[in-house]
Amino acid sequence: MAQAGTLDIRNLSKQYRVQGEPLPVLDAISLSIEPGEFVSIVGSSGCGKSTLLRLIIGLEGDYKGEILLDGQHVVGTSLDRGIVFQEHRLFPWLTVEQNIAVGVLNAPGSDAAKKRAVQEHIALVGLKGFETAYPHQLSGGMSQRVAIARALVNRPEVLLLDEPFGALDALTRGHLQQELERIWRTEGITAILVTHDVEEAVVLGDRVIVMQPRPGRIKRIVDVPLARSRDRGAAAFMAIKDDVLSEFGGVPPLEAINPSIVLQRDISDWHFSR
Amino acid sequence: MNETPTRAPLRPAAATRRIDPRAFALPLALLALWWLLTAGGWVDTRLIVPPGNVLRVAARTLGDPVFWQGVLFSVARDAGGFAAGALGGVALGSALGASRLAERLIGPSFHTLRQISLFAWLPLLSSWLGYGELSKLVFVALSTLYPVALGTFEGVRGVTLEHLDVARVYRFSRSQLLFRLILPAAAPQIATGLTLGLVYAWVATIGSEFLLANWGNGLGNIIIKGRAAFNVELIIVGMLAIGAIGTSLNRIAARVEARALRWQRPPT
């Protein structure tokens, strides 16, 4: 079982420069996440919740404040932190098992142990029998399962999820939320889920962090002291969901189709991790 | 599982598709016209020779080991030049596509040199390297280089930032980035460049045998001999052989491509 990590975010601020003007995206975020905790972050478009995840995973730098995993400063990407993006981002030229194996490519351990880990994670996400399928042969939900397996196969301490089910239909979405809860419990991992779906945040989170935009700040932290698996129809569940929704004026937070900031990056801006 | 596990079939390899019989209509019509013109005596049969004569010369040529030696030399020349040009093209295209510095330094020169017709290189190549094998190989390699480099460049440019993020998250090294992300992602466009390169290489092989003629071996030389002896039949047999071998090479390439790119979504 993976060792769960403690994540400490202290006074974190981040700004972009857009046409020479500073544009603050995150302002004084402080958050402490316990080992094995499941934290949901909800907010509408432009609240910087995806940027927060990109900073924690190490895909972006140049910030003020501190991000600490088990007391260590986060520098660049690391196999200690796994991520699932909104799009599955599988490599279309690799089969399911080859895609999952990308997760352990640079991990320590023997080839046999890696092979075993890949097989275990195929079973964990319920994709036995699809080992040799290519991504174009899979449905959206199945592709996202592969992406989850790829993120978990090297046993990271923290799993980051950036709207992982945002592009799926409601039925698949509800089902994968249950699956994610099961996987999180099996792996005993620390998880951070970014979403704009309040119900999803309350179903999965031990705590729900409500963020507000321009610049992105924490507005409120709501505890969800309900036993798992949670009944979405229960009065206590509805009360917490309504409470979180009230932070958005009773209207579900909106997600813009296009991100408000389009950064000019391409392959030439690649920098190597080693 | 609520989801119905579905797995779409892999696409059938494009190369195994059968040729529509209607494709033979035009060649057969031309053949009939040719036969009619010569049999009816409407043309000078020394210039437009009857098909029967061509067939006879073809039978004789196919039985001649010198012809097969020529085929072997031409194909070897083609393969050698193509291999060198393809490697160089993938390397150049990758560099241009992946490095902004390389694109700024080499890109403009590359795109300017590309405007020079390949056959315009021949006088320079023959002055420097003579009329021997090396000149021909360099010429074939150069012909292959351009389309392959362009295809690779396009493909590498098409690598998405989303996939580059994945490579960073899993801490790909420089060589893993190249061999596990950039080249596979660019493979469809590289394949297009290689297919085009193969056509150019074969044209260049025959062209070099014509224009750097040293009475050496090769299919091009057989045609030259035919012209020198005013043997129109031999010229036509040589042309047909060139076409047949070029087509075979392309069919082999299409099969290899379909196999290598079987992970692609079938065209809808």
Side-chain angles (χ1 to χ4, degrees), chain A residues 97-115:
Chain A
E97 57 187 357
Q98 289 168 334
N99 264 296
I100 296 172
V102 165
V104 278
L105 184 62
N106 290 321
S110 67
D111 285 352
K114 288 179 183 183
K115 210 168 251 173

Side-chain angles (χ1 to χ4, degrees), chain B residues 114-167:
Chain B
R114 202 159 62 82
Q115 303 304 319
I116 302 171
S117 163
L118 278 164
F119 284 89
W121 283 96
L122 278 171
L124 195 64
L125 281 178
S126 57
S127 311
W128 286 348
L129 305 170
Y131 286 77
E133 207 55 57
L134 186 61
S135 276
K136 293 175 186 170
L137 279 174
V138 170
F139 181 59
V140 174
L142 209 57
S143 308
T144 312
L145 181 86
Y146 288 126
V148 176
L150 274 185
T152 308
F153 174 75
E154 294 293 327
V156 170
R157 266 300 146 91
V159 175
T160 63
L161 292 172
E162 284 75 15
H163 280 154
L164 287 171
D165 278 350
V166 171

Side-chain angles (χ1 to χ4, degrees), chain A residues 54 57-59 77-79 83 85 87 89-93 102-103 105-106 126 129-130 132-134 136-137 139 141-142 145 150-151 154 172 175 265-274, chain B residues 1-11 97-100 156-157 159 161-177 180-182 184-186 262-266:
Chain A
R54 289 183 68 85
I57 195 74
L59 283 172
T77 56
S78 153
L79 297 180
I83 189 165
F85 298 98
E87 330 80 52
R89 301 197 185 184
L90 300 177
F91 292 162
W93 53 89
V102 165
L105 184 62
N106 290 321
F130 291 89
T132 58
Y134 285 98
H136 81 256
Q137 300 174 288
S139 68
M142 291 167 81
R145 286 165 187 267
R150 181 179 66 181
N154 58 41
T172 311
H175 184 63
R265 290 190 305 149
D266 68 25
I267 188 170
S268 332
D269 297 322
W270 169 271
H271 43 96
F272 294 92
S273 44
R274 62 175 143 121
Chain B
M1 246 194 261
N2 290 336
E3 278 175 277
T4 340
T6 47
R7 180 170 172 174
L10 287 171
R11 71 164 161 174
S99 156
R100 191 162 285 168
V156 170
R157 266 300 146 91
V159 175
L161 292 172
E162 284 75 15
H163 280 154
L164 287 171
D165 278 350
V166 171
R168 278 174 69 194
V169 165
Y170 297 107
R171 303 189 62 78
F172 278 25
S173 65
R174 206 172 272 259
S175 71
Q176 286 170 341
L177 181 73
R180 290 177 183 268
L181 173 57
I182 293 178
R262 70 190 184 285
W263 51 267
Q264 281 190 311
R265 188 181 296 277

Side-chain angles (χ1 to χ4, degrees), chain B residues 61-73 222:
Chain B
T61 311
L62 289 177
D64 183 357
V66 174
F67 167 79
W68 292 106
Q69 199 189 20
V71 169
L72 196 68
F73 270 85
I222 290 173

Side-chain angles (χ1 to χ4, degrees), chain B residues 57 61 222-223 225-227 231-239:
Chain B
V57 173
T61 311
I222 290 173
I223 295 185
K225 276 178 208 158
R227 198 180 61 177
N231 185 342
V232 179
E233 288 90 343
L234 189 57
I235 295 177
I236 294 174
V237 169
M239 286 170 66

Side-chain angles (χ1 to χ4, degrees), chain B residues 43-100:
Chain B
V43 289
D44 183 345
T45 48
R46 282 169 306 174
L47 291 175
I48 301 185
V49 292
N53 292 11
V54 173
L55 214 59
R56 224 172 7 260
V57 173
R60 192 174 355 111
T61 311
L62 289 177
D64 183 357
V66 174
F67 167 79
W68 292 106
Q69 199 189 20
V71 169
L72 196 68
F73 270 85
S74 289
V75 170
R77 207 166 273 150
D78 180 50
F82 174 76
L87 273 176
V90 170
L92 180 62
S94 304
L96 288 175
S99 156
R100 191 162 285 168

